[in-house]
Amino acid sequence: MDNHDYQIFVPVVNRFDLLDAAIASTAPYSSLTVIDNSDGKLGDRYKDNEPITICRPPVPLNFQQTSNLECKLAKQRGAKYYVHMHHDAQFPPARIGELLDIARKADADGRRWLVVFTLYDILCVYNVAAMEDLGGYDAHLFHLYYGDNDLWRRAKLSGYERIEAGGKGIIHNGGGSTTINSDMRWKICNDHQFPLAAEIYRCKWGGNPEHETYSAPFDRPDVFTDMKPVVP
């Protein structure tokens, strides 16, 4: 399939059995890059699978950092869009093409958009130019959860749409949060970090997601003059 305007990325930490199913869903497509945040545990699992590129950062990255890397790699490779999928996603292969068609039509129609969603961001398409304009995810303040809510808030204030494409045919294997739920160390850390991230979000935006009251980070438009994170 023609892939000159997009790239596909799937990050992974653990549960490589679920990753196998996710990768199988992309069989008709090329330009699939696995972001290996497993600290060496993935090994050479896909060394003989030619369409797959393995990207191993110097150190394992958190979700926000990984997402920003995806955008940078997509731009470096000349792509207008990038497909982000969870390692525990499974879907009919045609879904990626459908989402890309929605993205291309949105551009043709002159819409100002950031992301095309299916079942939330289990499988989605990002607009590289919009992500660059927003400065990507805030990897300085948020490590796992609430980083997406922060991005959506900044997108809304900047006039970018989130296009809902529906979750038909999308399966979230394991019921979600499989990275955390498959490693008790991750779960314990997240259980403690989650409420802290929630409080940071409230401090930054003056309320919980969908109940924000600030139009500038920390209600300081004099200091935060745009919607970009201090450290992306």
Side-chain angles (χ1 to χ4, degrees):
M1 175 168 287
D2 179 19
N3 63 356
H4 72 281
D5 65 349
Y6 73 92
Q7 294 283 303
I8 304 174
F9 297 98
V10 53
V12 68
V13 174
N14 55 28
R15 290 304 303 271
F16 309 129
D17 57 324
L18 298 182
L19 178 63
D20 290 342
I23 288 176
S25 297
T26 70
Y29 302 85
S30 54
S31 295
L32 172 64
T33 299
V34 175
I35 309 293
D36 179 9
N37 291 320
S38 71
D39 198 22
K41 298 180 183 65
L42 181 66
D44 294 329
R45 190 179 186 93
Y46 300 109
K47 68 176 182 178
D48 296 324
N49 197 326
E50 186 173 329
I52 299 175
T53 299
I54 305 296
C55 174
R56 290 189 171 94
V59 295
L61 305 178
N62 65 36
F63 172 78
Q64 274 65 238
Q65 292 170 325
T66 300
S67 297
N68 290 342
L69 175 62
E70 291 176 357
C71 185
K72 288 184 181 299
L73 289 175
K75 183 182 180 182
Q76 288 173 6
R77 297 170 183 177
K80 292 179 63 177
Y81 318 109
Y82 65 96
V83 179
H84 169 83
M85 52 185 281
H86 286 208
H87 79 289
D88 51 6
Q90 192 171 1
F91 47 88
R95 285 298 271 154
I96 289 180
E98 292 167 2
L99 297 182
L100 288 167
D101 286 345
I102 292 171
R104 294 173 184 129
K105 186 175 188 305
D107 275 347
D109 292 343
R111 295 169 69 177
R112 186 176 169 87
W113 66 279
L114 171 66
V115 62
V116 179
F117 272 157
T118 54
L119 186 62
Y120 198 57
D121 65 345
I122 306 306
L123 174 68
C124 58
V125 174
Y126 285 96
N127 181 339
V128 171
M131 282 291 282
E132 282 204 304
D133 183 45
L134 291 167
Y137 279 83
D138 191 335
H140 184 60
L141 291 180
F142 304 102
H143 300 153
L144 287 173
Y145 293 101
Y146 285 93
D148 48 0
N149 299 111
D150 175 76
L151 178 61
W152 314 147
R153 177 62 178 168
R154 290 186 283 119
K156 182 177 181 179
L157 291 170
S158 300
Y160 285 106
E161 289 185 76
R162 293 181 346 192
I163 301 174
E164 297 288 346
K168 181 180 179 181
I170 310 296
I171 299 171
H172 202 177
N173 284 319
S177 298
T178 55
T179 296
I180 291 169
N181 292 330
S182 298
D183 189 325
M184 185 55 68
R185 298 169 302 170
W186 274 76
K187 188 175 188 312
I188 290 171
C189 289
N190 181 70
D191 287 347
H192 286 82
Q193 190 267 348
F194 190 92
L196 300 178
E199 180 59 23
I200 291 171
Y201 188 89
R202 288 189 289 269
C203 289
K204 185 173 183 179
W205 295 112
N208 291 322
E210 306 300 331
H211 298 282
E212 300 92 340
T213 59
Y214 300 159
S215 295
F218 303 102
D219 204 23
R220 291 294 304 272
D222 57 318
V223 175
F224 298 91
T225 57
D226 59 28
M227 289 296 131
K228 293 185 178 182
V230 175
V231 180

